[in-house]
Amino acid sequence: VERTLSIIKPDATERNLTGKIVAKFEDAGLRVVASKRIHLTPAQAGQFYAVHAERPFYGELCEFMASAPVVVQVLEGEGAISKNREVMGATNPADAAEGTIRAEFAKSVGENSVHGSDAPETAKEEIAFFFSGLELV
Ligand code: ATP
Ligand code: MG
């Protein structure tokens, strides 16, 4: 079965939305197989989002991701990567389908409540960024 990396972002943890967001993952058939709450430094956020380093919103994104704790999780299930992105909804909440996490909870295109890996290769890298082998069963 497939695994993907999910992050419940600062705007969501701040508003106590972690449980409601996890319920949406579980209702979609995704299983939480690893989970922890961490507070990233701006440098760690920058390393995680290095692929976006040239984008105009990079500085803002790194600052936001380090502004409060996040909950990082590994989700497992059939087609977990695409299923998770479906449940998340479009990056911009204005474009997100009804019932998706971003439609219901996101504040803006930047403060959009969740992150999810976008492909098998990035999922593997992102899981290894946050979790050691010992933490993954
Ligand atoms: P994520 O990678 O977080 O799952 P995504 O794949 O839907 O989201 P990306 O294009 O990879 O979106 O952008 C990464 C993140 O950068 C977005 O989730 C959002 O927080 C932020 N971001 C993207 N576009 C903008 C923008 N125009 N202005 C501000 N922040 C943005
Ligand atoms: Mg992305």
Side-chain angles (χ1 to χ4, degrees):
V1 273
E2 195 168 74
R3 289 183 169 189
T4 191
L5 190 277
S6 164
I7 305 177
I8 302 176
K9 296 184 178 181
D11 69 283
T13 60
E14 286 270 80
R15 288 177 289 153
N16 273 353
L17 294 171
T18 300
K20 283 180 177 154
I21 289 172
V22 172
K24 285 192 180 283
F25 296 147
E26 293 186 335
D27 287 349
L30 294 165
R31 182 185 306 278
V32 180
V33 298
S35 183
K36 60 187 172 189
R37 180 172 180 269
I38 59 175
H39 195 151
L40 293 167
T41 64
Q44 289 167 333
Q47 196 186 340
F48 179 76
Y49 276 122
V51 63
H52 294 309
E54 304 306 319
R55 309 281 281 278
F57 56 80
Y58 181 65
E60 182 190 334
L61 175 61
C62 297
E63 206 175 300
F64 163 61
M65 290 300 287
S67 66
V70 298
V71 174
V72 291
Q73 300 185 311
V74 178
L75 307 179
E76 180 182 270
E78 289 300 328
I81 295 167
S82 59
K83 190 174 279 181
N84 179 39
R85 291 183 70 84
E86 210 175 289
V87 177
M88 286 163 51
T91 309
N92 187 339
D95 303 326
E98 202 180 323
T100 62
I101 291 166
R102 283 164 169 168
E104 283 192 23
F105 304 128
K107 295 170 81 171
S108 66
V109 65
E111 303 197 10
N112 60 2
S113 305
V114 280
H115 162 83
S117 309
D118 58 13
E121 194 48 44
T122 47
K124 207 175 153 191
E125 287 171 14
E126 291 178 1
I127 289 169
F129 185 88
F130 288 111
F131 293 96
S132 74
L134 275 176
E135 294 174 297
L136 293 165
V137 293

